[in-house]
Amino acid sequence: MRRLRHWGPGLLLLSPSLILLAVFVYGLIAWTTKVSVSDEHNALGSKGFVGLDNYTKLFTNDINDRFTHSLRNLLIFTVVFLAGAMFFGLLWAFILERGVRAEGFFRTVYLFPMAVSFVASGVVWRWLMNPNTGDNAGGLNSVLGGLGLDFLQNTWWTNPDWGMAAMAIPAIWQLSGYVMALFLAGFRGIPQELREAAAMDGASTYRLYRNVIFPQLTPVALSALIIIGHMSMKMFDLIMSVSGPQWLTEVPAIYVWQTLLTSDYAKAAAISIILLLLVAVVIVPYLIYTNRQEKNA
Amino acid sequence: MTTASIQAPPPVESLEPVRKPRRGTGPGSIIKYALALLFLLIVLMPMYVLIVTSFKSGSDIGVASQWSLPETWTLASWEKAWTALQPAFFRTFQLAIPVAIISSLIGAANGFVLSRWRFPGADVVFTLILFGMFIPYQAVMIPLREIVTTLGIPPGITTLVFVHCVYGIPICTLIFRNYYATTVPEELIEAARVDGAGLLRTFTRIILPISIPGFVVTIIWQFTSAWNDYLFAIFLSNTRNGPITIALNALAGAQSPDYAASMAGALITSLPTLVVYVLLGRWFIGGLMAGSVKS
């Protein structure tokens, strides 16, 4: 009883939030799951139970393999986006960590795209990735032409095979600064004594980074990968504003939206739940891991 | 030691260099500055396009002069964009300001409990709360629309304020929990307890007065998130009652868009968050870093 009085008020203060999240996160996910195993394929909403039918149909019976196509698009996008953002993020952090004058200015500029919405930046990236080439080249293609790099001109996201790789470019532009900030904090969190000890041992700069500093950054790299990885799987705004909803650049998050426009609730719910599972596979172990880390700290 | 930990505070200061930058003049140093400047230009390039194009007149937008400065600078596109976006622009303030304030207050209360007034199982509860900020919101959107209609919450801004506050609980709780875990010593709370102060009294008298830095971070974070949001907006509002991202998309998303007006519109849309970023950058970054759950 005394213990209850001890922590009871805290739980009480927290309870409105807990109830809201229980309902609006977990409750609604359960509700969506229920819709996904029903046959609610139009606004009339018949509520029969069909088991995993809607899920298996997505993989085996979708017109033109639309769902697997959207997964393939998502995979290409994610691989290019993660590779690019991690590469530039680490490179920028490395440049700044080597020490440049007016570092704050560089940092501010590298990070500024994070303050802009994908909807706004999509406007300019749509213009930059103008698919015309040759004499009609616009946007980036005309720069490449001007630099004599005509062979690099391409159709960007309108390319049916690798368009999604081009779609990742704006995402890389927008989030490399964020990865940089994470890595920079990682670099600066390494104790000075470690560097000095390595210097005392006569380690070259290369050895210092290779054997001492980079290994220390592994946890940072992991967090960065997981955070931008889960953002990538949810990517919606950017694609909607650069290409709009269309076959070439469709990913599951957009497929849900398109399916809802036709009131096929059951199918939209099934895609949503698959998307949720994809994200959960990455995020849940991460949350458990960080929770455990903290307990050990 | 940098470990992935939910415990540490938003490391607003952790980006600052530990020591003075070296000032070399060797080849390594030249490469370093050359690369830094090159990337600076690349990052700013879309901004150049936005600004330059927004001041061009229709005849000036042809392929040949795409990248050059306007021949005649004109505000016509800005006027067109402003006319199209103005109602949504003001509506978005009505969305983002309440969201920022309400979310921050909820986050402060939750963060305090979870960091300094803990109960058995608090860590598990905290992890369950955090999961809410990572979910793809499509997974709640279908029933969410139904609930909003059933409850009779007016469509548009009111609905969006509500959902942003609910789904903002995890991040705001996280930021405040991290903040209190490091700025409020356990002994202070114990002392207040010994003096017979209850939870609410401790929170309002001792905790809230030292919470300003936490509030700045969450207010900026939630303001920016609500301002930039498109997903909730497209599901739960329309061009007549929705925020500016919806209006901008309507302006710019046409088959053959008016690029000059679209880009002026994109700049108008980004202006409030950019102003916040430039003026309050370090706190903005604090929110960003907290979003990664780690230090």
Side-chain angles (χ1 to χ4, degrees):
Chain A
M1 209 45 221
R2 259 191 64 222
R3 291 201 52 200
L4 184 68
R5 203 173 301 148
H6 195 64
W7 48 255
L11 203 53
L12 207 63
L13 188 60
L14 199 61
S15 55
S17 294
L18 292 184
I19 293 168
L20 281 173
L21 291 179
V23 172
F24 283 94
V25 174
Y26 296 95
L28 294 197
I29 288 174
W31 187 336
T32 308
T33 312
K34 188 174 153 253
V35 175
S36 77
V37 292
S38 77
D39 60 353
E40 195 178 346
H41 295 298
N42 50 51
L44 298 174
S46 64
K47 299 274 167 61
F49 175 78
V50 296
L52 295 176
D53 256 23
N54 295 314
Y55 292 90
T56 47
K57 271 189 195 147
L58 281 174
F59 289 99
T60 58
N61 201 17
D62 211 15
I63 298 164
N64 287 329
D65 290 326
R66 187 172 167 185
F67 185 65
T68 28
H69 169 81
S70 76
L71 282 180
R72 179 183 170 276
N73 277 345
L74 184 61
L75 181 70
I76 296 176
F77 178 85
T78 300
V79 169
V80 178
F81 168 41
L82 292 194
M86 293 298 281
F87 174 78
F88 288 109
L90 182 57
L91 180 60
W92 296 353
F94 181 68
I95 292 173
L96 296 190
E97 117 88 18
R98 295 299 294 157
V100 292
R101 273 189 246 192
E103 184 196 311
F105 172 71
F106 282 104
R107 224 166 45 203
T108 305
V109 173
Y110 290 160
L111 252 171
F112 105 87
M114 273 301 285
V116 180
S117 63
F118 279 122
V119 179
S121 64
V123 172
V124 65
W125 279 102
R126 186 173 164 194
W127 184 94
L128 285 167
M129 296 198 287
N130 183 325
N132 291 332
T133 53
D135 288 341
N136 286 323
L140 290 176
N141 278 347
S142 79
V143 177
L144 293 170
L147 292 172
L149 299 168
D150 300 63
F151 65 95
L152 281 178
Q153 289 189 350
N154 69 82
T155 51
W156 305 106
W157 58 265
T158 59
N159 180 305
D161 294 319
W162 299 105
M164 284 313 281
M167 190 59 91
I169 296 173
I172 295 170
W173 172 78
Q174 199 123 3
L175 282 152
S176 294
Y178 174 59
V179 178
M180 173 206 71
L182 291 178
F183 273 120
L184 203 52
F187 275 124
R188 305 248 145 104
I190 296 171
Q192 197 59 28
E193 300 85 60
L194 259 174
R195 295 167 190 268
E196 281 157 14
M200 293 277 275
D201 293 344
S204 63
T205 308
Y206 171 77
R207 286 255 147 235
L208 171 71
Y209 278 93
R210 174 77 186 73
N211 295 345
V212 179
I213 297 192
F214 284 136
Q216 296 270 327
L217 293 179
T218 317
V220 180
L222 187 70
S223 311
L225 264 181
I226 285 169
I227 299 304
I228 60 172
H230 105 280
M231 290 174 79
S232 175
M233 287 186 229
K234 301 198 292 192
M235 198 56 75
F236 178 80
D237 310 12
L238 173 70
I239 300 171
M240 285 291 275
S241 61
V242 172
S243 71
Q246 53 169 295
W247 165 262
L248 273 180
T249 57
E250 189 166 81
V251 292
I254 288 176
Y255 196 179
V256 173
W257 169 245
Q258 291 295 93
T259 309
L260 275 182
L261 291 181
T262 65
S263 296
D264 191 340
Y265 297 105
K267 185 176 176 183
I271 304 170
S272 305
I273 294 298
I274 294 176
L275 189 58
L276 175 70
L277 291 175
L278 283 177
V279 171
V281 163
V282 174
I283 287 299
V284 170
Y286 175 66
L287 287 177
I288 294 172
Y289 166 76
T290 44
N291 195 353
R292 226 176 260 155
Q293 282 269 314
E294 183 180 349
K295 273 201 189 122
N296 296 340
Chain B
M1 180 70 196
T2 311
T3 49
S5 158
I6 322 184
Q7 198 173 36
V12 180
E13 276 80 28
S14 63
L15 293 183
E16 292 303 326
V18 183
R19 57 205 133 68
K20 284 263 171 228
R22 282 156 293 220
R23 292 182 176 176
T25 45
S29 181
I30 292 169
I31 295 173
K32 185 172 73 186
Y33 278 100
L35 281 177
L37 283 171
L38 174 71
F39 290 126
L40 197 76
L41 289 179
I42 292 176
V43 172
L44 287 175
M45 177 258 303
M47 205 58 180
Y48 167 82
V49 171
L50 277 172
I51 294 171
V52 166
T53 312
S54 72
F55 286 107
K56 284 182 179 175
S57 63
S59 59
D60 211 5
I61 293 184
V63 167
S65 59
Q66 274 198 340
W67 285 87
S68 39
L69 291 172
E71 268 172 35
T72 46
W73 295 70
T74 163
L75 280 172
S77 298
W78 281 83
E79 276 161 27
K80 183 179 170 190
W82 178 242
T83 312
L85 298 181
Q86 188 196 17
F89 187 79
F90 292 119
R91 270 202 299 273
T92 316
F93 278 106
Q94 291 168 26
L95 164 68
I97 292 172
V99 165
I101 295 169
I102 298 169
S103 307
S104 300
L105 287 170
I106 299 174
N110 294 348
F112 171 59
V113 172
L114 286 168
S115 68
R116 288 290 176 248
W117 203 282
R118 295 160 63 87
F119 49 89
D123 284 332
V124 177
V125 169
F126 181 56
T127 306
L128 288 172
I129 292 176
L130 278 190
F131 182 64
M133 75 191 220
F134 294 108
I135 61 168
Y137 295 119
Q138 278 89 350
V140 295
M141 214 57 99
I142 298 167
L144 189 60
R145 289 215 284 201
E146 217 169 310
I147 288 186
V148 165
T149 322
T150 316
L151 289 183
I153 304 176
I157 297 304
T158 320
T159 302
L160 289 172
V161 169
F162 176 74
V163 297
H164 279 295
C165 285
V166 170
Y167 294 104
I169 290 174
I171 181 81
C172 294
T173 302
L174 170 69
I175 291 173
F176 273 106
R177 180 180 178 272
N178 289 347
Y179 176 70
Y180 291 141
T182 48
T183 48
V184 181
E186 197 98 52
E187 298 79 45
L188 189 65
I189 308 301
E190 278 312 311
R193 260 182 184 163
V194 171
D195 289 347
L199 170 103
L200 274 182
R201 217 178 137 82
T202 312
F203 181 61
T204 51
R205 295 286 170 81
I206 299 177
I207 302 299
L208 276 185
I210 54 169
S211 299
I212 305 287
F215 270 97
V216 179
V217 172
T218 51
I219 285 176
I220 292 176
W221 180 262
Q222 281 299 88
F223 180 89
T224 311
S225 304
W227 189 280
N228 285 345
D229 163 69
Y230 181 67
L231 183 61
F232 282 122
I234 195 175
F235 275 91
L236 300 168
S237 70
N238 56 51
T239 42
R240 287 185 309 283
N241 57 27
I244 194 154
T245 46
I246 297 286
L248 175 64
N249 204 257
L251 174 72
Q255 268 311 315
S256 49
D258 175 348
Y259 269 117
S262 306
M263 294 202 189
L267 286 170
I268 293 171
T269 304
S270 311
L271 211 57
T273 50
L274 279 179
V275 167
V276 168
Y277 176 65
V278 170
L279 293 183
L280 302 165
R282 42 184 260 125
W283 286 283
F284 179 89
I285 295 169
L288 275 184
M289 306 287 277
S292 78
V293 202
K294 57 154 290 297
S295 78

